[in-house]
Amino acid sequence: MIPEIGHYALTLALCVAVVQAIVPMVGAQRGDLALMNLCRPASVALFLTIAVAFAALTHSYIVSDFSVANVYLNSHTDKPLLYKISGVWGNHEGSLLLWILILAVFSVAVSVFGRNLPPALRARALAVQAMIVVGFLLFILFTSNPFERIDPAPLNGRGLNPLLQDPGLAFHPPMLYLGYVGFSMAFSFAIAALIEGRVDAAWARWVRPWTLLAWIFLTLGIALGSWWAYYELGWGGWWYWDPVENASFIPWLAGTALLHSAIVVEKRDTLKSWTILLAIVTFSLSLLGTFLVRSGVITSVHAFATDPTRGVFILVLLAVTVVGSFSLYAWRAPQMKGGGVFAPISREGTLLLNNVLLSTAAATVLLGTLYPLFADALHLGKVSVGPPFFNAVFVPLMVPMLIVMALGPLLAWKRGDALGAAKRLWLALVAAAGVFAATYVAAGGQATHVGAAFGMGVGAWLLIGTLVEWAERVHLFRASPGVSLRRAVGLPRAAYGMTLAHIGTALLVMGVVGNTAWKTESIQVMSPGETLAMAGHIYRFEGADRVDGPNYDAIRGHFTLLDGDGDRITELAPEKRRYTQPPQATTEAAIHTSGLHDYYAVIGDAATDHGAGAYVTRFYYEPFVPLLWYGALLMGVGGVVSLTDRRHRIGAPARRRAEAAARAASTRASSGPSGGSGVTAPGRAS
């Protein structure tokens, strides 16, 4: 009965979404406030109906209702409760339902927290959001019904992929979806602004918090997935340019560009058309990532579906979204006024360069990801595009961006003093040179390590440059401690958020460079009592035994990690697990961290030809890899701190809202009910 309630709720949600997509849009066109305000109760009703459907599917998983095909294919009675719940989104149908739920969450959040929004903009944005929901509800109801029944019901299920039975993967997909779907809100605001014909500083201030929220979730979601790959897959890697990894990274790059571009629109009322384009492109790339994961065109542990029919449906949805939005952009964007002008050497100029480099990087990664698919479709042969290509083209784009990231915040708006800003960064330059020299010498002074030493120097440049910019803001060492303290307390939270995010980026860069350059690994067969020296430490194999888990059995290895003098540091206990349902082997690495470096042990299969108790073992020395996690977490924290800035929560100031309302009234009076001529006079916020 409960699955039928869930199915009915989805059908009812489709009806509500259609109403929300049409009626408020008509009301905004006619200037009918009553019809426009319908978007708010409609968004609440839409959220409630989809939440009921999601709760019904979750209940079916918790009670192991194997009469539901989705539960039978992805769950088992022996699974721990956490993985029964995470199994809801560990498959195509359930993850799609989660996607739709998050769409509805953002819709209702705008209706609740967007009280400052002009009624017409809010109505149009929520109507566009509902159109997206309609597309996905049609997809799930006609091709991916999560409540499909099996009769007779099996006695037990087939289980969830053991690789997904992990706390990291339990939370990784929801975080990613909150990022993916969050950009739909920026897209909806962009389309609403194009229809309305007005993009100004007030619009940018309204759209920034939703973009920032999506960026935070996508940043943390990607980091969580990378961390899972690092400790769960047992190969000591944290990123391999897998197509599905790229599917989340590409919209992150575009979303980062969008976030910075919106700042320019808000502060200087320029780059408006470019910002609208980025909002459209970012969400389109999110939809493209959905197509790649669910169409069967790529094979990955992350991929949810291999049914081409479903892929065609998403491809049609993607095509409608892209063609429709770009057609509207091509029609409306040329009529928008450009806004303020600025010199190339200015804060706007550095943010524009940031945008160009990020957009080029996104396009490059997209090309490398799709090229093998195009080559295969055109019968040009099987082509593999791997890390060498991505590293060769991505790194040169990021180096100038990282250099400018330290310089840009020290430049003034409109026209900056590059020489003056460079003089203030003398400490950052000294630190970068010092780190470069120290790293090069510590690496043995080999020519092969020049690039790595340079990368560490660039990270130090950004780190110290960011701290210098903060010190300049508070007049540190240039005023009395009391004055500096008052200025530090008075800084906007958005400024602190930027500082934390840039410091996080610097740490992440140093972690990537250091780990890539100096990672060490060793694979061998070991018998109990044997030792291996690596990276100034000693691994001693003590033996292995069999252990039983809730739904698996495992071989657990026992290793002692010693320092160079033979003193014990810790015990490591990696496992080789074999799940019963579905039958599959997984590797559970044991990792000891010093806070700056990781020592990583993996046990493999028994090596009976080397004697009793011998096993294949693998050890990794992972220098600087913790900086990756510190950096990603700090970037997310910086985003959260910035999001708590009062300016992101109250929208545009009252004076700007009054001016916007006056302009809207003037536009309606001059153009009649259709408002068609409003686009020719978008206006500027003072």
Side-chain angles (χ1 to χ4, degrees):
M1 180 63 181
I2 289 181
E4 280 69 34
I5 293 176
H7 193 191
Y8 175 76
L10 278 183
T11 306
L12 186 58
L14 177 60
C15 299
V16 175
V18 170
V19 172
Q20 183 180 333
I22 296 174
V23 176
M25 189 72 78
V26 172
Q29 190 71 8
R30 295 179 176 177
D32 189 326
L33 188 60
L35 295 181
M36 285 190 281
N37 285 338
L38 183 66
C39 66
R40 298 180 64 188
S43 64
V44 173
L46 182 63
F47 165 72
L48 291 176
T49 51
I50 296 173
V52 168
F54 190 81
L57 185 61
T58 304
H59 176 270
S60 299
Y61 269 86
I62 292 175
V63 302
S64 296
D65 184 357
F66 298 120
S67 69
V68 178
N70 186 264
V71 179
Y72 163 71
L73 292 172
N74 299 285
S75 191
H76 192 274
T77 54
D78 292 338
K79 278 201 318 183
L81 179 61
L82 172 63
Y83 304 130
K84 287 184 177 181
I85 296 174
S86 64
V88 174
W89 53 80
N91 60 88
H92 168 72
E93 292 82 1
S95 65
L96 189 60
L97 182 56
L98 176 62
W99 178 289
I100 297 170
L101 176 65
I102 296 173
L103 277 171
V105 167
F106 274 91
S107 179
V108 76
V110 170
S111 70
V112 172
F113 298 107
R115 298 179 184 273
N116 298 346
L117 288 166
L121 179 63
R122 181 177 60 218
R124 288 187 172 107
L126 291 179
V128 173
Q129 189 78 356
M131 292 177 190
I132 301 171
V133 176
V134 168
F136 277 96
L137 283 172
L138 290 173
F139 181 28
I140 196 171
L141 286 171
F142 288 101
T143 71
S144 308
N145 181 9
F147 299 106
E148 184 178 343
R149 290 282 199 174
I150 299 177
D151 187 22
L155 295 177
N156 215 328
R158 294 173 57 181
L160 179 68
N161 184 341
L163 287 174
L164 305 181
Q165 296 185 40
D166 179 87
L169 255 289
F171 299 104
H172 166 61
M175 296 284 280
L176 274 186
Y177 294 167
L178 284 164
Y180 275 145
V181 179
F183 287 126
S184 70
M185 208 63 251
F187 171 84
S188 297
F189 273 112
I191 298 301
L194 285 174
I195 295 172
E196 191 168 293
R198 181 165 49 250
V199 178
D200 54 17
W203 175 87
R205 180 166 290 184
W206 285 314
V207 80
R208 269 186 67 197
W210 303 105
T211 304
L212 179 58
L213 185 63
W215 182 87
I216 293 168
F217 281 122
L218 191 56
T219 300
L220 296 178
I222 292 173
L224 188 58
S226 179
W227 183 50
W228 167 81
Y230 174 67
Y231 73 78
E232 173 65 21
L233 298 183
W235 55 289
W238 43 267
W239 191 264
Y240 202 67
W241 294 104
D242 178 274
V244 179
E245 291 176 342
N246 296 349
S248 60
F249 188 49
I250 295 168
W252 183 88
L253 291 169
T256 305
L258 169 62
L259 194 59
H260 289 81
S261 182
I263 295 174
V264 181
V265 178
E266 179 186 348
K267 299 293 186 182
R268 293 284 299 135
D269 197 31
T270 189
L271 297 186
K272 294 183 287 190
S273 180
W274 172 249
T275 304
I276 290 288
L277 179 62
L278 279 176
I280 295 172
V281 167
T282 301
F283 182 60
S284 298
L285 290 173
S286 296
L287 289 180
L288 178 62
T290 305
F291 168 72
L292 292 176
V293 174
R294 300 168 193 281
S295 62
V297 299
I298 59 173
T299 301
S300 170
V301 68
H302 308 77
F304 280 123
T306 57
D307 183 357
T309 304
R310 294 170 174 175
V312 169
F313 195 106
I314 298 179
L315 191 59
V316 171
L317 182 61
L318 174 63
V320 170
T321 302
V322 171
V323 173
S325 57
F326 276 96
S327 298
L328 180 61
Y329 176 81
W331 175 37
R332 290 290 207 181
Q335 303 173 48
M336 292 183 183
K337 290 186 177 180
V341 295
F342 55 89
I345 304 300
S346 62
R347 190 174 300 187
E348 297 99 316
T350 59
L351 288 171
L352 179 59
L353 178 61
N354 162 295
N355 269 233
V356 171
L357 292 171
L358 284 170
S359 301
T360 305
T364 300
V365 177
L366 179 64
L367 175 64
T369 303
L370 296 183
Y371 180 76
L373 305 180
F374 291 143
D376 189 29
L378 297 174
H379 305 291
L380 300 177
K382 296 289 185 180
V383 179
S384 177
V385 177
F389 166 80
F390 290 109
N391 293 336
V393 298
F394 186 77
V395 172
L397 292 170
M398 291 298 101
V399 170
M401 190 194 78
L402 294 169
I403 293 173
V404 171
M405 279 176 66
L407 183 65
L410 291 170
L411 295 175
W413 294 102
K414 193 173 181 179
R415 184 180 299 275
D417 179 8
L419 183 59
K423 287 180 179 178
R424 285 180 284 174
L425 286 172
W426 67 267
L427 182 61
L429 183 60
V430 170
V435 169
F436 171 83
T439 304
Y440 181 69
V441 171
Q446 300 177 13
T448 54
H449 290 145
V450 171
F454 177 76
M456 297 296 281
V458 169
W461 158 268
L462 177 56
L463 175 62
I464 303 303
T466 301
L467 293 176
V468 167
E469 189 272 338
W470 176 83
E472 288 284 329
R473 280 177 176 264
V474 302
H475 292 179
L476 191 65
F477 307 126
R478 293 195 293 117
S480 66
V483 171
S484 294
L485 180 60
R486 285 195 297 273
R487 291 183 66 89
V489 171
L491 277 182
R493 293 180 187 175
Y496 278 107
M498 181 199 72
T499 299
L500 292 173
H502 284 194
I503 291 175
T505 303
L507 294 178
L508 188 146
V509 168
M510 298 175 79
V512 168
V513 172
N515 184 255
T516 302
W518 294 293
K519 174 180 177 177
T520 306
E521 63 179 284
S522 178
I523 304 176
Q524 59 283 310
V525 174
M526 298 181 73
S527 298
E530 290 186 345
T531 61
L532 176 76
M534 188 174 71
H537 288 68
I538 300 170
Y539 293 88
R540 185 173 67 214
F541 182 42
E542 309 292 357
D545 54 25
R546 184 173 295 276
V547 296
D548 292 323
N551 59 337
Y552 63 85
D553 60 75
I555 295 296
R556 178 179 295 165
H558 299 278
F559 298 87
T560 301
L561 180 65
L562 312 170
D563 63 18
D565 297 326
D567 295 328
R568 176 186 174 278
I569 297 176
T570 189
E571 302 291 327
L572 299 173
E575 295 181 359
K576 181 67 176 288
R577 294 180 179 177
R578 297 189 184 276
Y579 286 80
T580 54
Q581 192 64 31
Q584 186 173 332
T586 66
T587 300
E588 303 293 321
I591 303 171
H592 170 73
T593 183
S594 68
L596 189 59
H597 311 297
D598 283 359
Y599 302 90
Y600 190 109
V602 177
I603 189 166
D605 296 325
T608 54
D609 54 336
H610 284 72
Y615 284 85
V616 176
T617 61
R618 283 182 291 154
F619 303 118
Y620 297 91
Y621 168 59
E622 301 279 0
F624 301 107
V625 78
L627 294 182
L628 288 168
W629 322 130
Y630 303 154
L633 182 60
L634 204 55
M635 290 167 70
V637 170
V640 172
V641 171
S642 183
L643 193 62
T644 62
D645 194 310
R646 184 170 179 266
R647 293 176 303 169
H648 288 323
R649 289 181 281 114
I650 64 172
R655 182 169 58 88
R656 291 189 178 183
R657 292 201 303 273
E659 291 176 354
R663 285 196 303 269
S666 175
T667 298
R668 286 195 297 269
S670 62
S671 62
S674 65
S677 64
V679 74
T680 61
R684 287 181 55 187
S686 59

